[in-house]
Every structure is written in C-alpha cells, then in structure tokens.
Amino acid sequence: MRPEGRLKSIAYFFAPLLALLVLWQATITVFDVNPRVFPGISAVWHAAVTSIADGTLIQHIGASLTRVAVGTVIGIAISVPLGMAMGVLPAVATFLTPLMRFFSVLAGIAWIPIATLWFGYGFGAITFVIFNAVFFVVAYNAMLGVSTIPMRLRYAAASLGAGPWRTLTEVLLPGALPNIVTGIRTGLGFAWRGLIAAEMIATNVGLGYMLFMARDFYRTEVIVMGMIVIGLLWLLLDRLLLAPLERATVERWGMVERT
Amino acid sequence: MRSLTIRDLSKTYFDAYAGSHVDAVRGVSLEVTQGEFVSLVGPSGCGKTTILNMIAGFIPCSGGEIRLDGRAIHGPGPDRGVVFQSFALFPWKTVLDNVGFGPKMRGVPKAERDRTAREYLELVGLAHAADRYPNELSGGMQQRVGVARALANNPEVLLMDEPFASVDAQTRMTLQEELTRIWQERRPTIIFITHDVSEAVFLANRVIVLSKGQILDEVDIALPRPRVWDKLHEDAAFKSLSGKVLQLVRSA
C-alpha cells in the first residue's frame, strides 16, 4: 500500500472513534451525568493510567489472552484434522453435520456451568469455553473447505503421482485453507465474547473479572476502560493478525473476491 | 512397440433419473503406438470423455481392459499425464510450482525440479510467468501451464480432454499450432479428445470417430508437418479429410 493510502485508511479507522469520544464528553458535560451512572473521559483515562502503572491491567490482559491463545490452539489442532476427515469421507460428514450445527449454536457461555463442574473455577473452565467456540466453527469450515475442492484438482494430483498423504498436504489442506482461516476468524470472534462472559463468572483474574469486580464498587470508569480495552484488543487482533492472514493466503490465490 | 492397448472396453452407468442402465462405452478396442498423436472425435454423449477417464484411471471400467506397455492400469498414475478442459491448476501454487508438481511427487530436489519446470515453461512460451499465480493468467496461458505441467512429469501417454474448448477462437488456433510443434519436438504419445472435427484433423496422425459408445471408423491423417492454420486453412487435402471426418461424425 502506498504511504498516503495507508494514512488514509488509518484516518478512516480512527475518525468515527474520535467522533464517539467527542459526543461522549459533550453529553457528560452538558447533562452533568453522575459518574456512578457513566464516567467522563478523564476519569477513564485516569483509571487506565493507574491500572497500567500498578500492573493490574497487564495482568488481566495477560490472563485473558493466554486463555484465548491456549483454547484457540487446542481448538484448531483438533478441529482441523477432524473437519478435514469429515470432508474427505462424505458418510462421516452426513452423520456429523447435524451435531456440528447443534453444538455450533450451543458453543460459548452455555457450557460454563458444566465446564466449572468439570474443571473448577479458573483457567480450565474458561479455556474450555474458548476451545468450544473455536472448535465447532473451525471444524465445520474445514469440512466445508475440503468438500468444496473441485474433484478435478484431486484427479490432477493423482495423475501427477500424488499418493493419499501428498494429496492431503498438497491439495486438501491448502484447498481448505481459505475456509479454515475464515472459520478461525469467526470462531475467535465468538471466543472473545465468550471469554469475557466466562471470566465474569468463573475466575478471579482477566478482563471480564475486572469489569465485574468494578461493578461491585460502582467504579464505572474502570468498567468503561475495560470495555474499551476489550474492543480495542479485538480490533488489533483482527486487523493485525487475522485479516493479514486471510489476505496473505486466500486473496493472493484468487480464491475469494477481494472486498 | 505398442504403447497403449485397449481391449473390449465398456462402461455401464446406472442412471438414477431414468431408472435404467446406460451403456456409455461399448466394446471399444484401440491400439496407440508410442509417439502417436490420436484424436478421438464425436458428438456429446458419444463416450469419448468416459473412455479418457477410464484410461486416466479416474473411473473404473465395467468390462474389458486397458494396458500400458503390457501392464494393466489400476487407478490414476504418473505414467498417464492429463490435461483438463478446465485446466485444474492448483490455485495456491505459483506457475513454477504447478509445473514442478509431478517431479516434486517423485522426490526430485527443489533446484532440479525448478530447472525442469522452467525448461517446460520455456517450451510453452511462459518462462516470464513462472512466479505468477494461475488466477493472474488468461485462460490460454493457464492451459499452456496445464500442458507444461503434464509434460514435465514425462508421462508415457498424454491424455487431453477437450483442452482448448474453453479459450477463445484465436487463442485456440495458436494453442493448436503450439501443440503440434511440441509434439514434433518431443514426440509424446497423445490421446486428444475433442468434438471439433477440424481440430481433430489438424492435430492428429489418426482420427477415431466415436458414436454411441462405439468406434464408428478411423481416418489416417497424412498431412505434412509442421502444420499451421495459414497453410492448412485452404489446403485441399485438409479440406477433404475434414469433410470425410465430418460426414462420419454427422452420420453418427
């Protein structure tokens, strides 16, 4: 991208956020809103600075991101091979698809009660929720990806001497990758929401916990600061990690339309 | 030396829609010698693509046998290279890696297979496009890559399934001329499927006319090479051979 293009896209990204900040402060000032109802920008800023200075914010972010990373990695590691196996074996796919649909809908915070029974409060239960959110979406997409690879590509590989293993690594995996990447992006979106909810219930560290505790002390500025951090972290994750991943593979190959 | 022997080949499908069995191919016998260029021509539904798919090993035959240098064939294999109508290039691989795919499957080291791939890209006039992806190429260029990919694997027989049907008319003529040139240089055994009579006559040494799953007749094409459209277009021998084949196809 050309420098002025990049600058422009940054401007487009931040302009609406800036507008929101202006509207926010104006409303607080004009209507003289009680900080117990909603905080002003300076209070939120102060809360951010304080929690960064004393290290608690980093601690909460670290805990949340670790859970997301572990749950996602385990989820991908199991769902990709399973989903691909489903795509290769139509009978398995037909059998499992209704279950996959059912559990995709259920994935997320509905599992928290049972997860806390299995894993206790804390890391295990929350990571399980993340795993769940990622697992079903990615498995379903991997299956879809494999089953939509044109038969002629598998024929081509076979007539060029590729055996089953080479067909898997050279055709099925790269062929399903666009769907897998999309699945990961969607699944992580679900996981991120599930994470915050799970942390409100089942732990004593993490961004969701930080929000929920602040509520008990009417610390609206901490709540809002946490909400902003949660939103920004997701935007950063999506923009800096997931979107470039999608661009680097899928769009380059012309397998989806550039948007 | 006999290269490819097809004896009493047949294929029966169960047509679920009609609720009955359909004989797509019936008792086809054919010998193709090494280095020969044979066209199979016939209207849609004559069974030509089914025959090719059985030779390629993509579908099993219902009866008869196919032998390559005496060995019965089972399933697809690198001894039979295929050029597909819809190109079937790997979209996630560069042109160079597409062409080097066969050698890679044989365990040829990267540097050597890249050299081989470049040589065959040179042959089809695409040396400059080595690092591009298939979606960045025109249809004609993609099919040149398809031909280079099949040839780079050094197959005993090259099976071509209406490979030029989905490119524009001008490009098709260029590709046909290039294919005859490549055949003259390398002498691969080629079985070429088409419904286009003039294409079949232009390319091949022998044209086999198919009808309703059977071989109707065959015509030897003793036209001199190199063959170029500018010369053959008005050539009396070409016209008379085309006319003969066309009559056979239309009587089918």
Side-chain angles (χ1 to χ4, degrees):
Chain A
M1 203 185 288
R2 286 169 299 125
E4 61 264 41
R6 181 173 288 270
L7 215 63
K8 213 170 174 181
S9 84
I10 289 172
Y12 276 125
F13 182 69
F14 283 107
L17 295 178
L18 204 67
L20 183 68
L21 288 181
V22 171
L23 185 71
W24 170 12
Q25 192 53 57
T27 311
I28 298 287
T29 312
V30 170
F31 296 102
D32 192 22
V33 177
N34 185 337
R36 283 193 159 201
V37 175
F38 209 83
I41 291 179
S42 58
V44 173
W45 178 253
H46 187 70
V49 171
T50 312
S51 60
I52 290 169
D54 67 13
T56 51
L57 182 63
I58 301 301
Q59 193 192 346
H60 290 308
I61 289 176
S64 293
L65 286 181
T66 307
R67 289 162 185 151
V68 169
V70 173
T72 303
V73 168
I74 298 174
I76 292 172
I78 301 178
S79 62
V80 169
L82 182 83
M84 292 188 61
M86 286 170 66
V88 178
L89 305 166
V92 180
T94 311
F95 182 75
L96 286 179
T97 296
L99 288 179
M100 299 299 285
R101 290 236 178 88
F102 179 77
F103 283 108
S104 299
V105 175
L106 205 60
I109 53 172
W111 281 95
I112 293 174
I114 202 101
T116 51
L117 287 180
W118 291 348
F119 300 101
Y121 283 79
F123 184 80
I126 294 166
T127 307
F128 179 76
V129 170
I130 304 291
F131 163 83
N132 237 284
V134 172
F135 177 83
F136 290 103
V137 184
V138 174
Y140 185 72
N141 277 278
M143 180 197 77
L144 206 68
V146 169
S147 57
T148 51
I149 294 170
M151 201 60 205
R152 62 175 186 275
L153 289 184
R154 286 158 75 170
Y155 281 159
S159 71
L160 289 164
W165 177 251
R166 287 299 204 140
T167 303
L168 180 71
T169 58
E170 300 278 344
V171 180
L172 300 182
L173 194 57
L177 202 58
N179 291 78
I180 292 172
V181 170
T182 306
I184 291 171
R185 208 175 167 184
T186 316
L188 262 177
F190 290 158
W192 191 246
R193 285 163 224 159
L195 167 85
I196 305 304
E199 283 178 342
M200 290 186 182
I201 300 166
T203 186
N204 53 15
V205 64
L207 289 167
Y209 172 79
M210 184 181 85
L211 255 69
F212 215 60
M213 282 311 287
R215 174 194 164 277
D216 284 356
F217 300 100
Y218 290 99
R219 298 282 304 274
T220 55
E221 76 280 11
V222 175
I223 297 175
V224 171
M225 184 268 290
M227 289 166 71
I228 293 171
V229 169
I230 289 163
L232 280 181
L233 272 180
W234 172 252
L235 285 177
L236 286 175
L237 202 66
D238 193 60
R239 289 241 160 187
L240 300 182
L241 195 71
L242 301 174
L245 186 68
E246 211 164 52
R247 262 201 304 279
T249 54
V250 179
E251 290 181 9
R252 179 77 207 262
W253 303 337
M255 294 170 75
V256 293
E257 293 299 315
R258 284 175 178 81
T259 47
Chain B
M1 185 172 88
R2 294 293 177 197
S3 187
L4 182 77
T5 311
I6 298 170
R7 215 173 295 288
D8 206 23
L9 188 68
S10 68
K11 181 70 189 178
T12 308
Y13 287 113
F14 183 72
D15 186 342
Y17 186 71
S20 62
H21 288 278
V22 179
D23 295 317
V25 176
R26 296 181 291 171
V28 166
S29 295
L30 180 66
E31 299 256 14
V32 180
T33 38
Q34 191 168 23
E36 202 179 0
F37 196 144
V38 175
S39 287
L40 265 58
V41 70
S44 309
C46 72
K48 54 189 190 296
T49 295
T50 309
I51 293 173
L52 190 103
N53 282 337
M54 286 191 282
I55 301 173
F58 299 153
I59 56 173
C61 38
S62 311
E65 59 169 13
I66 302 167
R67 288 179 177 273
L68 187 57
D69 290 334
R71 291 169 280 112
I73 61 124
H74 296 288
D79 49 354
R80 286 148 290 139
V82 181
V83 180
F84 297 82
Q85 181 179 347
S86 48
F87 320 136
L89 302 178
F90 304 118
W92 48 85
K93 288 181 182 292
T94 61
V95 164
L96 191 73
D97 288 342
N98 263 282
V99 178
F101 188 84
K104 186 180 184 183
M105 295 304 103
R106 290 201 308 272
V108 176
K110 173 97 176 119
E112 196 184 327
R113 66 174 188 256
D114 280 358
R115 203 162 49 239
T116 308
R118 281 185 199 286
E119 179 199 329
Y120 281 92
L121 281 175
E122 193 88 44
L123 183 72
V124 298
L126 277 182
H128 62 281
D131 297 324
R132 290 158 79 179
Y133 283 87
N135 74 305
E136 299 167 331
L137 306 181
S138 69
M141 289 166 84
Q142 289 191 46
Q143 196 56 297
R144 284 187 180 92
V145 177
V147 172
R149 183 177 68 174
L151 285 173
N153 208 25
N154 207 14
E156 290 180 45
V157 186
L158 189 59
L159 307 169
M160 306 185 79
D161 183 14
E162 305 204 35
F164 307 145
S166 45
V167 297
D168 65 81
Q170 283 72 33
T171 308
R172 187 180 313 140
M173 292 169 103
T174 312
L175 288 172
Q176 288 161 350
E177 289 175 345
E178 282 179 15
L179 183 61
T180 60
R181 174 181 59 78
I182 289 166
W183 180 81
Q184 270 197 285
E185 279 180 32
R186 305 263 163 170
R187 293 293 167 130
T189 311
I190 300 182
I191 299 177
F192 191 102
I193 303 285
T194 182
H195 61 266
D196 180 343
V197 168
S198 59
E199 177 173 71
V201 173
F202 178 85
L203 292 171
N205 301 345
R206 185 154 61 110
V207 173
I208 290 161
V209 180
L210 289 161
S211 167
K212 302 184 182 82
Q214 290 176 304
I215 291 179
L216 193 68
D217 204 349
E218 61 174 67
V219 179
D220 280 321
I221 311 295
L223 296 170
R225 293 180 190 268
R227 295 179 188 170
V228 285
W229 278 112
D230 284 345
K231 278 192 219 157
L232 280 187
H233 197 59
E234 295 300 321
D235 185 82
F238 176 76
K239 278 188 185 172
S240 108
L241 285 167
S242 300
K244 192 174 166 187
V245 174
L246 185 63
Q247 252 184 343
L248 284 166
V249 170
R250 298 209 61 182
S251 74

